[in-house]
Amino acid sequence: MKPKKLFLKIKPTISLILIFLISSVIITTLSLQYYFSKDLAFDATENNFKLTAEKIEQKIISFDNSNSNILEAIIHSEEMREFPLENERHRLLKQLTVILDNNKHIYAIYAGDKSGNFYEVINLNITKDLRKKYNATKEARWLIVKIYEEDGKRYQYEQLLNKGLKVLDTKRKEASYDPSIRPWFKKAFDSYRKVIKTKPYQYTNIDELGITYAKRIRNEDIVLGLDVSLNSISNFLSKQTVMKNNEIILFQEDGEIIASANLDKDKKTVPYKELLNFAKDEKIKKVQFNLGLEDESFVYYSLIKSEFKTKDHLAITIPVDTIMRPFISKIYNSFMITLVILTLTIPLIWYATRVLVEPIEKLEKENKKIMRRDFDNVKLIKTRIKEYHELSQSLYKMSLSIKEFEEKQEELMDSFIQLIASAIDAKSKYTGGHCERVPILTIALANAAAACDEGIFKDFKLSTKDEKRELSVAAWLHDCGKVTTPEYVVDKATKLETIYNRIHEIRTRFEVIHRDLTIKMYENILAGANKEQEEERLQEEHKKLIQEFEAVAKANIGGEFMDDEDIEKINEISQRKWTKYFDDTIGLSHDEKSRIKETNRTFPKEENLLNDKDEHIIQREDFSQEEFDKYKFKMQVPKHLYNQGEIYNLTIKKGTLSEEERFKINEHMIMTVKMLEELPFPKNLEKVPEYAGAHHETLIGTGYPRRLKKEDMSIPARIMAVADIFEALTAADRPYKEAKKLSESIKILSFMVKDEHIDEDIFKLFLTSGVYMNYAKEYLKEEQIDEVDISKYI
């Protein structure tokens, strides 16, 4: 007994793999370690920044107090009420220079009054740009500026002093500066009892920002002030940096920067509201505004209040990378150890994965074969996993079932198609076996085109079963629209034929006239007329009547072309009168009776021998231009559905079909296209409507129903056009024509090539491949097959 195979179940297999995937927990642990470290680092940084902010706040408050105290100290000196003249020395000059020397952050100390007098002592060491502006040498230490009125004019005196207060240089110019109109003067003058502090502004003498502290001397029109360079605050902030890349910014509510550490000097303002919201919403974000920072940063925000009731805002920022740098190395080491562990387990994980994945991949390939309907190549996969084995068996059996079902469906569908085609062929002897033979000729010519690797056939292939079947189905259904074409129109052999040949009705009228003429002769003889003369006259009338009927009968046959003389003759004959005695509205259908418009119904009644009457017109009632445009049809549609007028039909110049009947015949292509395009063909048969609907088109847009051109038609569609025409030319089972010989049919095809009705390349392939001769031997009569010199056409 054959041992039973052991199959693994999918659950234990997956469980086994999951045991080795526990290593993912290590990665999760590392991630948690990173985030916990990040939180600890941020908490420590926040505490550090908080201490720094408190220190800065104390410094700012101390800074304000120090400047206020200096003003309070000198404001009570009587000497500060004096404004010395050009060559006079201020009595407090020594003390003022000492104050400036001891307070490096103070740029200048000065006094101004309501009259515009001004006295100022400037520290030249505050910036290099100041010495350059006043052409001061290295020896110069102080700059004295005096402004007062002399001889009705205001002058500004500038003195450069050395460290020992000796005058090195003196300049005099007209004064343009008026202290009494400056904002610091006005604000201090109005405040009176307290020291005021201005917002940062651009100094006149140097390209730097500064702040002015000022106070009015009591009961005087004099204001004392001192200017503080913001560089000194920035220098202080630079010394407070906690870490590398740490940035400290002191700014006002409007975003204007007071001072900063390390910030680019071109940065004048910060977006205060955005920075405030940024600091409140989250600790970490991408800094998007004008701080000179592009990386993810940590931001600490604080509000500094001073005795001047101003609100200075402090922002301390640092890149997250700088905060996390001490922790990264530890996390990196942990990561490397984890990576080594994972690397060692990769072969085992790979093997376990392969056990599960390979059968799935093989099943997927087999499933794709089913999707491509390649049922013959679907195979069972080899696997020891029970669920996969059972799934493979199910897939294999399903492919066999689908294949069998499709074969039955195709067989049923092909039978229906051939049944329709056979019904169309059997419907009229005038179509014979056309629908059966065109597919044979089409496939033979298409196979020859697929075997040719030259010209337009270079990329044309007919390699799959589906491609061949698609073309075959199209060929079988190429005339399916004929099922809607009335048989009496298809079979119309004479001009007067409808359901029956109406020449018999007209012959009866001639018979009546013939008899009436005979009766009239006897009536004349009885009335006394000469018998011989009457008999001779009757003989001539009968002879003329017979000739006229023969003319009508000949016209009824229809030929290649009808002369204008013959048409005129029919019109002349139609004027002959005959007498009707019976009411011709009795025994008619409702439809036929509704077409009778004549009101004179008194009998006996004299009428023309031939007539075009209202009742001969059958109106076109179901035509829709919108539907016509929807299918892109471009045929000329006659006004009436049918015109059965006797004169109208007898005077058809060529053949037996009227314009309306010829359209009705051609309308089979309209119906073919509509019927096929409405059918839900599967993807492998989606081109059937295209192939079947173009075999009456030409290469120059003169065909029907869509007036397509060569570039609009595929090679199979052009092949079917050749097959359709050749079968019709050589068919020997048509009662309306004699079967044409092979050479004559080929010659007609060559004329159609010259007229660009059929494709020249396909015509040449038709000859060189021998398809025409193979078809002739199988389906043409022996007497039709004659010698064809194809060299005349190649």
Side-chain angles (χ1 to χ4, degrees):
M1 185 177 177
K2 195 174 181 180
K4 189 176 181 181
K5 288 186 178 180
L6 178 64
F7 296 99
L8 298 175
K9 289 191 175 182
I10 194 167
K11 262 189 182 178
T13 307
I14 292 177
S15 299
L16 183 64
I17 294 173
L18 289 176
I19 292 172
F20 296 99
L21 293 179
I22 291 176
S23 55
S24 61
V25 174
I26 301 173
I27 298 173
T28 305
T29 304
L30 286 176
S31 301
L32 291 173
Q33 182 183 350
Y34 174 80
Y35 288 111
F36 287 144
S37 299
K38 195 172 186 179
D39 285 341
L40 289 172
F42 288 162
D43 289 341
T45 303
E46 185 175 3
N47 291 332
N48 206 343
F49 282 177
K50 185 176 181 181
L51 293 173
T52 302
E54 290 174 356
K55 185 178 179 181
I56 292 170
E57 183 175 6
Q58 291 302 318
K59 177 65 178 178
I60 298 298
I61 294 172
S62 173
F63 187 78
D64 287 342
N65 291 336
S66 173
N67 294 326
S68 295
N69 291 337
I70 291 171
L71 283 177
E72 293 289 357
I74 65 175
I75 201 167
H76 298 293
S77 301
E78 289 296 327
E79 291 85 349
M80 290 308 297
R81 292 169 171 78
E82 299 174 0
F83 292 92
L85 299 177
E86 178 181 2
N87 296 318
E88 293 179 348
R89 181 169 175 167
H90 200 288
R91 287 189 291 169
L92 287 181
L93 177 60
K94 181 66 177 176
Q95 290 88 333
L96 294 177
T97 57
V98 170
I99 292 171
L100 289 173
D101 202 28
N102 292 336
N103 296 275
K104 309 295 184 184
H105 63 277
I106 300 178
Y107 161 66
I109 298 177
Y110 47 86
D113 66 7
K114 197 77 172 175
S115 300
N117 296 317
F118 183 71
Y119 181 82
E120 181 179 27
V121 181
I122 299 174
N123 181 3
L124 289 174
N125 285 346
I126 203 76
T127 174
K128 293 178 181 179
D129 294 338
L130 194 60
R131 289 181 180 276
K132 187 176 181 181
K133 179 175 181 179
Y134 290 99
N135 295 318
T137 62
K138 290 184 179 180
E139 188 181 358
R141 179 69 177 82
W142 311 104
L143 173 64
I144 307 299
V145 179
K146 303 175 185 178
I147 298 176
Y148 57 85
E149 187 176 332
E150 183 180 333
D151 298 330
K153 291 185 178 181
R154 297 182 71 249
Y155 292 96
Q156 178 174 323
Y157 296 91
E158 297 174 355
Q159 293 179 328
L160 292 173
L161 308 181
N162 64 9
K163 189 175 181 181
L165 304 181
K166 180 182 177 181
V167 177
L168 300 176
D169 190 16
T170 303
K171 292 181 182 179
R172 175 182 173 180
K173 60 181 180 180
E174 285 192 19
S176 60
Y177 182 80
D178 186 352
S180 65
I181 64 173
R182 301 295 293 175
W184 56 266
F185 186 95
K186 292 179 178 180
K187 186 175 180 182
F189 194 88
D190 295 338
S191 299
Y192 190 63
R193 292 187 178 183
K194 61 182 180 180
V195 177
I196 62 97
K197 178 183 177 183
T198 66
K199 289 185 177 183
Y201 65 94
Q202 184 75 39
Y203 284 153
T204 328
N205 295 332
I206 56 175
D207 186 22
E208 285 188 13
L209 292 176
I211 297 174
T212 296
Y213 294 83
K215 186 175 180 181
R216 179 183 174 186
I217 298 177
R218 188 174 183 180
N219 299 324
E220 299 285 345
D221 291 340
I222 301 172
V223 174
L224 300 184
L226 61 86
D227 287 343
V228 176
S229 171
L230 293 183
N231 277 341
S232 59
I233 302 177
S234 295
N235 292 334
F236 169 74
L237 295 180
S238 298
K239 295 175 183 178
Q240 308 309 311
T241 54
V242 181
M243 300 179 183
K244 188 179 179 181
N245 299 328
N246 179 198
E247 178 59 77
I248 305 174
I249 308 166
L250 192 66
F251 60 96
Q252 294 183 326
E253 283 195 22
D254 58 2
E256 186 173 359
I257 296 174
I258 299 173
S260 66
N262 305 322
L263 192 66
D264 189 346
K265 288 186 178 181
D266 292 335
K267 310 295 182 186
K268 303 297 183 184
T269 61
V270 296
Y272 159 69
K273 290 182 180 178
E274 289 84 341
L275 183 59
L276 185 59
N277 291 334
F278 174 78
K280 286 181 176 178
D281 288 349
E282 296 181 42
K283 289 181 179 178
I284 299 177
K285 254 189 187 176
K286 190 85 171 179
V287 178
Q288 299 288 343
F289 32 77
N290 195 15
L291 292 177
L293 303 171
E294 296 179 354
D295 299 325
E296 185 180 25
S297 297
F298 179 92
V299 177
Y300 178 83
Y301 167 79
S302 178
L303 178 66
I304 299 177
K305 298 181 180 178
S306 71
E307 63 174 296
F308 295 101
K309 296 183 179 180
T310 59
K311 294 181 180 179
D312 294 335
H313 302 270
L314 179 69
I316 308 176
T317 70
I318 189 169
V320 172
D321 290 345
T322 304
I323 300 174
M324 293 302 298
R325 192 170 291 118
F327 301 92
I328 294 299
S329 59
K330 293 180 181 179
I331 296 172
Y332 176 75
N333 292 334
S334 300
F335 173 74
M336 292 306 295
I337 294 170
T338 305
L339 187 63
V340 171
I341 295 172
L342 287 174
T343 304
L344 294 175
T345 59
I346 283 174
L348 191 58
I349 294 173
W350 178 83
Y351 177 76
T353 304
R354 193 179 75 172
V355 171
L356 289 174
V357 172
E358 279 193 355
I360 294 175
E361 290 176 343
K362 291 178 180 178
L363 283 169
E364 185 182 9
K365 289 180 180 178
E366 299 308 308
N367 188 53
K368 285 181 177 178
K369 291 178 184 177
I370 295 174
M371 290 173 65
R372 295 195 304 267
R373 299 169 52 248
D374 185 14
F375 306 116
D376 293 333
N377 292 318
V378 177
K379 299 175 182 178
L380 288 168
I381 65 165
K382 295 180 180 180
T383 177
R384 300 190 67 80
I385 299 176
K386 182 179 180 183
E387 286 81 0
Y388 289 163
H389 174 74
E390 290 176 351
L391 182 58
S392 176
Q393 283 190 322
S394 175
L395 204 63
Y396 180 73
K397 291 176 182 177
M398 182 179 72
S399 70
L400 295 177
S401 177
I402 294 174
K403 178 186 176 183
E404 183 181 0
F405 177 77
E406 280 204 355
E407 287 175 349
K408 293 293 184 183
Q409 287 292 99
E410 285 184 9
E411 184 180 345
L412 179 63
M413 183 176 178
D414 290 345
S415 296
F416 268 117
I417 290 170
Q418 292 174 21
L419 179 68
I420 293 169
S422 298
I424 292 170
D425 282 346
K427 180 181 177 183
S428 171
K429 56 186 178 181
Y430 282 74
T431 56
H434 178 74
C435 292
E436 181 180 349
R437 290 193 288 266
V438 167
I440 295 168
L441 191 53
T442 299
I443 295 299
L445 188 49
N447 286 334
C452 182
D453 292 327
E454 299 176 357
I456 65 171
F457 308 111
K458 186 175 182 180
D459 298 322
F460 176 72
K461 301 298 176 188
L462 201 69
S463 53
T464 67
K465 176 185 174 184
D466 283 344
E467 289 174 339
K468 291 179 180 178
R469 182 165 181 267
E470 186 176 44
L471 183 56
S472 176
V473 168
W476 274 99
L477 292 174
H478 80 285
D479 271 346
C480 65
K482 285 184 178 178
V483 74
T484 65
T485 307
E487 185 179 344
Y488 72 87
V489 176
V490 177
D491 294 352
K492 188 180 180 186
T494 63
K495 295 179 179 180
L496 290 173
E497 188 171 344
T498 52
I499 301 298
Y500 67 98
N501 191 344
R502 290 180 294 158
I503 190 66
H504 304 301
E505 183 179 329
I506 291 172
R507 182 187 291 109
T508 302
R509 296 176 199 164
F510 275 94
E511 293 283 1
V512 170
I513 294 173
H514 188 282
R515 187 182 307 110
D516 286 347
L517 288 171
T518 303
I519 293 170
K520 184 65 175 175
M521 178 198 72
Y522 285 116
E523 287 178 349
N524 290 340
I525 292 172
L526 289 174
N530 186 286
K531 181 181 178 183
E532 290 181 1
Q533 290 178 354
E534 288 297 325
E535 287 176 350
E536 185 178 347
R537 187 183 298 113
L538 176 61
Q539 190 175 3
E540 289 177 1
E541 288 289 342
H542 280 178
K543 182 178 180 181
K544 181 180 179 182
L545 191 63
I546 291 170
Q547 288 174 347
E548 287 179 352
F549 175 72
E550 288 175 351
V552 172
K554 181 181 178 183
N556 187 42
I557 297 299
E560 290 298 318
F561 188 77
M562 187 176 185
D563 294 332
D564 290 339
E565 293 179 3
D566 294 332
I567 293 174
E568 187 180 344
K569 181 68 174 177
I570 295 298
N571 284 310
E572 181 185 330
I573 294 170
S574 70
Q575 299 303 311
R576 183 185 283 272
K577 303 297 182 181
W578 74 293
T579 302
K580 182 189 293 185
Y581 288 87
F582 296 91
D583 189 347
D584 55 2
T585 62
I586 298 174
L588 303 183
S589 67
H590 174 75
D591 178 61
E592 190 176 0
K593 194 171 184 178
S594 66
R595 297 199 301 268
I596 298 175
K597 308 297 181 185
E598 188 180 351
T599 56
N600 181 14
R601 311 308 298 171
T602 305
F603 298 93
K605 177 184 176 184
E606 192 176 65
E607 281 189 358
N608 288 347
L609 181 61
L610 303 175
N611 275 298
D612 286 341
K613 297 182 179 181
D614 289 339
E615 54 262 38
H616 288 144
I617 302 296
I618 301 176
Q619 299 296 335
R620 186 179 298 277
E621 297 175 350
D622 58 350
F623 176 73
S624 169
Q625 186 64 48
E626 183 179 348
E627 184 180 26
F628 216 64
D629 295 338
K630 169 188 170 183
Y631 289 99
K632 300 178 182 179
F633 297 139
K634 296 179 181 178
M635 297 171 66
Q636 187 66 38
V637 182
K639 180 181 179 182
H640 303 128
L641 182 63
Y642 295 112
N643 185 339
Q644 296 176 349
E646 295 164 346
I647 301 172
Y648 177 79
N649 278 268
L650 284 169
T651 55
I652 294 171
K653 282 198 170 185
K654 186 177 180 180
T656 63
L657 298 176
S658 66
E659 178 189 0
E660 293 79 8
E661 290 162 340
R662 190 166 299 281
F663 177 79
K664 177 56 71 173
I665 293 288
N666 293 344
E667 194 180 24
H668 82 277
M669 284 310 305
I670 292 177
M671 298 309 300
T672 295
V673 170
K674 287 172 67 174
M675 290 163 65
L676 295 182
E677 289 191 358
E678 290 297 322
L679 289 176
F681 282 109
K683 188 172 181 61
N684 59 312
L685 296 177
E686 63 184 359
K687 293 181 181 178
V688 166
E690 176 202 343
Y691 296 162
H695 64 277
H696 281 298
E697 302 286 357
T698 68
L699 306 183
I700 54 175
T702 57
Y704 64 92
R706 288 170 168 164
R707 295 183 182 172
L708 301 177
K709 295 184 179 180
K710 183 177 182 179
E711 58 269 21
D712 302 322
M713 292 189 289
S714 61
I715 289 176
R718 284 180 262 161
I719 285 175
M720 197 177 299
V722 174
D724 182 76
I725 295 168
F726 184 74
E727 192 288 327
L729 289 172
T730 57
D733 52 2
R734 306 290 197 273
Y736 61 88
K737 73 177 186 69
E738 292 184 3
K740 296 186 182 298
K741 290 185 178 293
L742 187 58
S743 60
E744 186 181 359
S745 300
I746 297 296
K747 187 175 183 180
I748 293 172
L749 286 178
S750 72
F751 290 151
M752 298 184 78
V753 168
K754 289 178 182 178
D755 293 338
E756 295 186 79
H757 284 188
I758 60 175
D759 192 292
E760 182 178 8
D761 293 304
I762 294 173
F763 173 64
K764 289 180 179 179
L765 179 69
F766 184 55
L767 299 179
T768 56
S769 64
V771 170
Y772 79 98
M773 184 55 72
N774 294 335
Y775 176 82
K777 290 177 180 178
E778 184 71 25
Y779 296 100
L780 269 61
K781 292 181 178 181
E782 188 175 344
E783 58 269 22
Q784 286 181 261
I785 304 174
D786 58 354
E787 186 176 347
V788 178
D789 182 7
I790 66 172
S791 64
K792 293 191 295 184
Y793 311 112
I794 303 301

